[in-house]
Amino acid sequence: MSFKKIALAHGAGGSAQNELLKIITSSITEKCYRGGVGLDELDDGGSIPLENIEIVFSADAHTVSPIFFPGGNIGSLAVAGTINDVLMMGARPLAISDTIVVEEGFDTLQLKEILDSMNRVAREAGVSIICGDFKVVPRGKLDQIIISTSGVGIVEKGKIIVDAGLRPGNKIILSGMMGDHGIAILASREGMEFDTKLISDSAPLVDVVNAALAAGKITAMKDPTRGGVAAALNEWAEKSEVSIWIDEESVPIRKEVEGACEMFGMDPFEITCEGCILIGVDDRDAENVLAAIRGTKHGKNASIIGEVRQDHPKKVILKTRIGGHRIIEMPYGEPIPRVC
Amino acid sequence: MSFKKIALAHGAGGSAQNELLKIITSSITEKCYRGGVGLDELDDGGSIPLENIEIVFSADAHTVSPIFFPGGNIGSLAVAGTINDVLMMGARPLAISDTIVVEEGFDTLQLKEILDSMNRVAREAGVSIICGDFKVVPRGKLDQIIISTSGVGIVEKGKIIVDAGLRPGNKIILSGMMGDHGIAILASREGMEFDTKLISDSAPLVDVVNAALAAGKITAMKDPTRGGVAAALNEWAEKSEVSIWIDEESVPIRKEVEGACEMFGMDPFEITCEGCILIGVDDRDAENVLAAIRGTKHGKNASIIGEVRQDHPKKVILKTRIGGHRIIEMPYGEPIPRVC
């Protein structure tokens, strides 16, 4: 291995994490179930092909800090995030598992509030929380709480949607405002010197995905969490062997998010999103799908932000507001630690 | 709530944990998918009934300390434990998810060793690790590593095995030596003043379960992890509304385990097991099933340890070696913290 100790960047969704994930997936030889989507594809989840259906299976660990933030908490984030991962593969999410590990002395009223939020998100998405585990570690052995969630969904065989599905000519839709979640988390940290009304948009995006799938041919879906839109687009470009051209003018983003990024020297394309998704769609269906998404509760701000081309494969290129072009690189790591 | 802060005992598999789990399950209204086994049944997992099959879904968080111990490590324990939970419901485990959270600075060679062990156990059980997540938290925010695993299996519809399935007349089989795992962990802790060659027996028990299911009518299965055999039997007695009579003389247990329990004033029935399971079996098939289990790699030391009766419902009663009787109570908590 090229490094001896795990660094924060190894869990932060960028190229450092990818290096580590390669080590993980090379250690695991049993990483694919009978031709389904396997661990080494580093997609939103894996799959288990059965006779007529494919089970989609996805897992997330959540270590967000602070655990309560404007717009949600670690529990709502966990359930929404896992539901979204199952949705991203074109599957209907059915059930969630959760494992909760807390530090001795954790406040039970806070635990209750977290559980209530998890339940609320599950109910909104029509998903059940059917199993779980609960562990307590001695005081000082954990910073408050970690929640891991897994999700199970089903999809008709052959209809699974993977990252490698993008085709030249496809349009790229972003279903909501970029970067709200990451900046809301940053602003809620102690010692932060900016004030904003920004709240996390973390939500289960069943409505957006169902509307999109019903309105046209969807070739890829991805929730741009750690590493933000930059990481998600680069993964797509890499796996689909295409270039992705983004028009900065079309990207929905709030003034507060842009302002905060400028203040802290961060690229807004690298900020974690938890309430919007990227959708690749057949050119002919793009306007239809966009209109359908805009008709949903969580998709009002959707926009076509770019397109897929054959030239310059594996590159993501931004057409800037002032008319120039720059490469959107795979970020090294998420600029804000512990954001999900 | 009757308590304001979470204590270690709330995660330790006994009556304190049950109290907390009631709070958790009462917060979650969306806890059952279409008549399947739900969160509030507190079984080894939950289930998702489809047309002809039922998906079994189970989840565990692992915080064992030390993370490397004689006979295994946190990774092998996690994968084996989750595979066993899926097996306990009569399902064939197909795939596992894992989420790994490490502290910044965690040694990559140790991570590699943990991953290799996870892979080895998955291969032995014929299960794939198809999805996961990896997070890093800043130094001091976590004691080394936490691994959460979820498992997915399938079972023919109507063939699921639940804790409430025990019937008067059934025999109880314990498939291996009681308490090896818990005492091996205890002995491997720094500062422990006893020396033993005991190693953890943690293993995926596919062979034992397959042999048992093929040899006779199985009414219930449970892996006696946190809270040990005492907790598992009490849960069975409670849910099946029967009494369970255990013959101490028949319980397979090593001298070292008995000795350690005596030295530390612990009840061996409350010690965590990770390499053996409890099986309820129709009286007429008991000898057949026992012989089949004894023919497997992990079931050589299996023994019929007791039987199920109608009188004294919800009690677990031990016939002691000297001929008396005592109640095996639901433990308050696992006597050894962070054992799995």
Side-chain angles (χ1 to χ4, degrees), chain A residues 3-6 20 29-30 32 61 97 99 105-106 108 119 128-129 133-135 141 143 148 150 226, chain B residues 3-6 20 29-30 32 61 97 99 105-106 108 119 128-129 133-135 141 143 148 150 226:
Chain A
F3 48 93
K4 285 193 175 152
K5 301 284 180 191
I6 303 290
L20 184 73
T29 58
E30 316 302 308
C32 175
S97 73
T99 72
F106 192 81
T108 44
N119 191 55
S128 311
I129 302 173
D133 194 8
F134 188 86
K135 291 266 161 78
K141 299 292 185 185
D143 182 19
S148 283
S150 268
R226 277 177 297 170
Chain B
F3 48 95
K4 286 193 174 151
K5 300 285 179 192
I6 303 291
L20 184 73
T29 57
E30 316 301 309
C32 175
S97 73
T99 72
F106 192 82
T108 43
N119 191 55
S128 311
I129 302 173
D133 194 8
F134 189 85
K135 292 266 161 81
K141 299 292 186 186
D143 182 18
S148 282
S150 268
R226 276 178 297 173

Side-chain angles (χ1 to χ4, degrees), chain A residues 152-185:
Chain A
V152 166
I154 52 172
V155 56
E156 198 185 317
K157 210 161 169 179
K159 294 268 176 87
I160 206 162
I161 294 172
V162 295
D163 290 345
L166 274 190
R167 293 290 169 264
N170 286 176
K171 296 289 189 224
I172 306 289
I173 294 174
L174 182 63
S175 73
M177 292 292 187
M178 186 168 80
D180 283 10
H181 176 77
I183 300 301
I185 294 288

Side-chain angles (χ1 to χ4, degrees), chain A residues 252-282:
Chain A
I253 183 168
R254 289 180 211 281
K255 283 263 169 292
E256 299 99 299
V257 172
E258 285 195 312
C261 284
E262 206 160 304
M263 181 159 39
F264 293 102
M266 299 180 303
D267 180 350
F269 282 89
E270 298 187 5
I271 304 296
T272 294
C273 308
E274 292 282 353
C276 61
I277 56 174
L278 288 160
I279 300 176
V281 55
D282 189 288

Side-chain angles (χ1 to χ4, degrees), chain A residues 70-148:
Chain A
N73 61 52
I74 190 171
S76 58
L77 183 67
V79 175
T82 293
I83 287 170
N84 288 344
D85 280 341
V86 173
L87 285 168
M88 290 310 94
M89 302 190 78
R92 184 159 62 91
L94 305 176
I96 292 279
S97 73
D98 71 274
T99 72
I100 302 176
V101 183
V102 300
E103 182 184 15
E104 179 187 10
F106 192 81
D107 188 279
T108 44
L109 287 178
Q110 289 200 340
L111 180 62
K112 182 82 173 71
E113 191 176 339
I114 289 167
L115 291 165
D116 287 341
S117 307
M118 295 173 76
N119 191 55
R120 182 181 44 72
V121 175
R123 189 169 54 233
E124 180 185 340
V127 166
S128 311
I129 302 173
I130 66 170
C131 59
D133 194 8
F134 188 86
K135 291 266 161 78
V136 185
V137 294
R139 205 179 296 268
K141 299 292 185 185
L142 172 66
D143 182 19
Q144 298 185 287
I145 186 169
I146 287 177
I147 298 182
S148 283

Side-chain angles (χ1 to χ4, degrees), chain A residues 3-42:
Chain A
F3 48 93
K4 285 193 175 152
K5 301 284 180 191
I6 303 290
L8 277 177
H10 289 122
S15 58
Q17 169 139 0
N18 280 357
E19 193 186 350
L20 184 73
L21 291 181
K22 274 175 195 150
I23 292 166
I24 293 181
T25 56
S26 70
S27 301
I28 308 293
T29 58
E30 316 302 308
K31 54 197 169 200
C32 175
Y33 181 80
R34 294 197 185 167
V37 178
L39 187 67
D40 52 340
E41 296 182 43
L42 299 178

Side-chain angles (χ1 to χ4, degrees), chain B residues 17 102 145 160 184 187 200 216 228 255 319 323 331 334:
Chain B
Q17 168 140 2
V102 301
I145 186 169
I160 205 163
S200 166
K255 283 264 169 293
K319 190 182 152 207
E334 158 70 40

Side-chain angles (χ1 to χ4, degrees), chain B residues 186 192-194 259-266:
Chain B
L186 187 68
M192 279 294 129
E193 295 180 6
F194 73 109
C261 285
E262 206 161 304
M263 183 162 33
F264 292 102
M266 299 181 302

